[in-house]
Amino acid sequence: MQNNMEKSETAYIAATAQIGEDCVIGKDVVIHHNVILYPGTKVGAGTEIFDGAVIGRPPKGAGNLVHKLESNFEPVEIGTSCVIGSNAVIYAANRLGNNVLIGDGAQLREHGDIGDNALIARLCTTNHHVIVKENSKIMDMTHITARTVVEEDVFVGVGVCSANDNTMRIKGSEVGEAAIITLKKGCKIGSGSTLLPGVTVGKNAVVGAGAVVTKDVPETSTVMGVPARVTEQGHG
């Protein structure tokens, strides 16, 4: 359906795309086949959304979630000159800045905030309430757990795993703020690393490939191993 939407004359929408009520489609936007935009989605000028992407999907539990879902969610807002890959799924209440790239098959849960020039590569998943700030890159097949904060200029390698619950609960209350993972400005996380609940990786620190980070990493240090230990301090 394409009812009551606001669409620029220079935007292109494929015939098989489904556009919800009150969507706003900016200048020179390209929306390819079988894209679904849920009601109220805003797409900034020059953005391109590839085949099969789903934008604005509300989360839906089956009565077995620890995280409690709200009953209503704000629409998705996508900035200018973004690229959304084929079969990406961006849940409701996400905000994407300008020049953001979301790779094929990536999935972003609700209440994400993705800064300008950020990249979330193919088959990545972000859980709810994740913040990725400007110029950061999260590479293929990485999982970013709920409420993680990724500051500016951070690099996260391929296949990085993060967790926010040491008890691995299947019911009960949500994890608290003590479990939040923070990746400080300019840090680098090597491919295949695991970040455990509550750790902070300091500014310009480096986590070596395959490391298991169980405690905070000092700024400008390098850590490696299982568990991760400081092997160098004071670089950068």
Side-chain angles (χ1 to χ4, degrees):
M1 296 179 62
Q2 299 185 9
N3 299 322
N4 298 325
M5 68 171 169
E6 180 182 325
K7 172 182 171 292
S8 168
E9 293 182 356
T10 60
Y12 168 78
I13 301 175
T16 55
Q18 299 184 49
I19 310 300
E21 297 278 346
D22 301 319
C23 289
V24 179
I25 313 298
K27 290 176 59 178
D28 302 322
V29 165
V30 177
I31 298 177
H32 290 271
H33 287 287
N34 301 311
V35 169
I36 297 174
L37 299 188
Y38 275 77
T41 299
K42 296 180 180 179
V43 183
T47 286
E48 188 163 4
I49 304 176
F50 281 88
D51 307 73
V54 177
I55 313 296
R57 201 211 110 168
K60 178 70 174 179
N64 54 0
L65 296 178
V66 173
H67 173 58
K68 307 304 180 188
L69 298 175
E70 304 101 302
S71 56
N72 295 294
F73 293 88
E74 293 295 318
V76 169
E77 296 186 18
I78 299 173
T80 61
S81 301
C82 295
V83 174
I84 312 298
S86 295
N87 300 310
V89 180
I90 300 176
Y91 280 62
N94 269 285
R95 188 200 71 83
L96 278 61
N98 303 322
N99 301 99
V100 170
L101 172 59
I102 306 297
D104 297 342
Q107 298 185 20
L108 282 61
R109 280 281 303 273
E110 67 275 11
H111 291 297
D113 191 345
I114 313 301
D116 294 347
N117 302 301
L119 182 155
I120 299 177
R122 293 172 298 174
L123 301 175
C124 286
T125 56
T126 65
N127 214 326
H128 59 85
H129 293 90
V130 164
I131 296 172
V132 179
K133 295 187 178 181
E134 291 78 7
N135 304 311
S136 288
K137 292 187 175 182
I138 300 173
M139 303 310 293
D140 306 58
M141 296 181 288
T142 285
H143 174 68
I144 303 297
T145 194
R147 303 187 188 279
T148 296
V149 178
V150 180
E151 293 189 354
E152 300 90 343
D153 305 313
V154 168
F155 179 88
V156 180
V158 172
V160 171
C161 235
S162 56
N164 67 351
D165 186 359
N166 277 320
T167 66
M168 295 181 281
R169 71 196 75 186
I170 60 172
K171 59 183 179 179
S173 59
E174 293 191 58
V175 297
E177 290 189 6
I180 293 174
I181 292 172
T182 303
L183 306 182
K184 292 289 190 178
K185 182 176 180 179
C187 73
K188 294 176 172 58
I189 314 298
S191 295
S193 301
T194 300
L195 307 173
L196 293 184
V199 300
T200 294
V201 179
K203 182 178 179 181
N204 294 324
V206 175
V207 174
V212 176
V213 181
T214 61
K215 59 184 180 181
D216 291 351
V217 177
E219 65 178 49
T220 67
S221 67
T222 298
V223 299
M224 297 181 181
V226 180
R229 294 183 173 88
V230 175
T231 60
E232 181 183 352
Q233 288 185 309
H235 68 75

